């Protein structure tokens, strides 16, 4: 099995969503071989990072479109993750029996 050129690796990365098994299939190699080839060059590592950022942008665009269309589940999720500084987060309180404060015994 011969090593592929940087250009061939970058071409395999395009529109892969950054999924290594897709890249490997396009290069006709194993997942591990594709991973090592991508990691070999700065240009291919950057191409993979760019592809993964592009798929995140697509997911964010879909999320924002859903929220604009009134999807309350997506809105709740966004608020619980990105809106924490505004007080939107799920609270998890730890209490003792019957809601009493938890008693902690310190040992010396």
């Amino acid at each position: 099995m011969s090593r592929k050129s940087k250009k061939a690796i970058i071409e395999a990365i395009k529109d892969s969503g950054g999924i290594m098994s897709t890249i490997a299939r396009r290069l006709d190699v194993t997942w591990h071989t594709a991973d090592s080839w991508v990691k070999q060059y700065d240009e291919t590592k950057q191409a993979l990072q760019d592809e993964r950022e592009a798929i995140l942008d697509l997911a964010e665009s879909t999320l924002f479109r859903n929220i604009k269309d009134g999807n309350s589940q997506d809105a709740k999720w966004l608020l619980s993750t990105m809106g924490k500084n505004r007080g939107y987060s799920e609270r998890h309180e730890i209490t003792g029996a019957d809601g009493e404060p938890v008693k902690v015994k310190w040992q010396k």
Side-chain angles (χ1 to χ4, degrees):
M1 169 179 355
S2 64
R3 186 170 299 279
K4 302 286 185 181
S5 68
K6 280 191 259 187
K7 183 178 179 183
I9 297 167
I10 290 170
E11 194 60 36
I13 292 169
K14 287 182 183 174
D15 296 320
S16 68
I19 300 169
M20 194 58 66
S21 58
T22 299
I23 297 165
R25 189 172 46 256
R26 291 175 180 178
L27 294 170
D28 195 29
V29 296
T30 67
W31 187 99
H32 294 287
T33 299
D35 185 58
S36 68
W37 287 1
V38 168
K39 289 178 179 174
Q40 184 175 6
Y41 305 107
D42 287 339
E43 296 91 342
T44 53
K45 286 190 279 190
Q46 186 62 55
L48 181 63
Q49 183 62 36
D50 291 347
E51 182 66 19
R52 289 178 174 168
E53 291 297 325
I55 203 73
L56 286 174
D57 286 347
L58 179 61
E60 284 181 338
S61 296
T62 300
L63 176 66
F64 294 146
R65 186 172 41 256
N66 288 351
I67 290 168
K68 285 181 180 180
D69 290 343
N71 184 312
S72 63
Q73 285 302 105
D74 284 349
K76 287 177 186 177
W77 179 83
L78 183 75
L79 287 170
S80 72
T81 57
M82 294 178 71
K84 288 180 181 181
N85 63 332
R86 294 185 180 185
Y88 293 100
S89 65
E90 293 184 24
R91 298 179 93 178
H92 299 281
E93 296 181 18
I94 300 172
T95 62
D98 299 320
E100 295 294 319
V102 175
K103 296 177 183 172
V104 178
K105 291 182 180 181
W106 294 99
Q107 294 181 347
K108 293 183 182 180

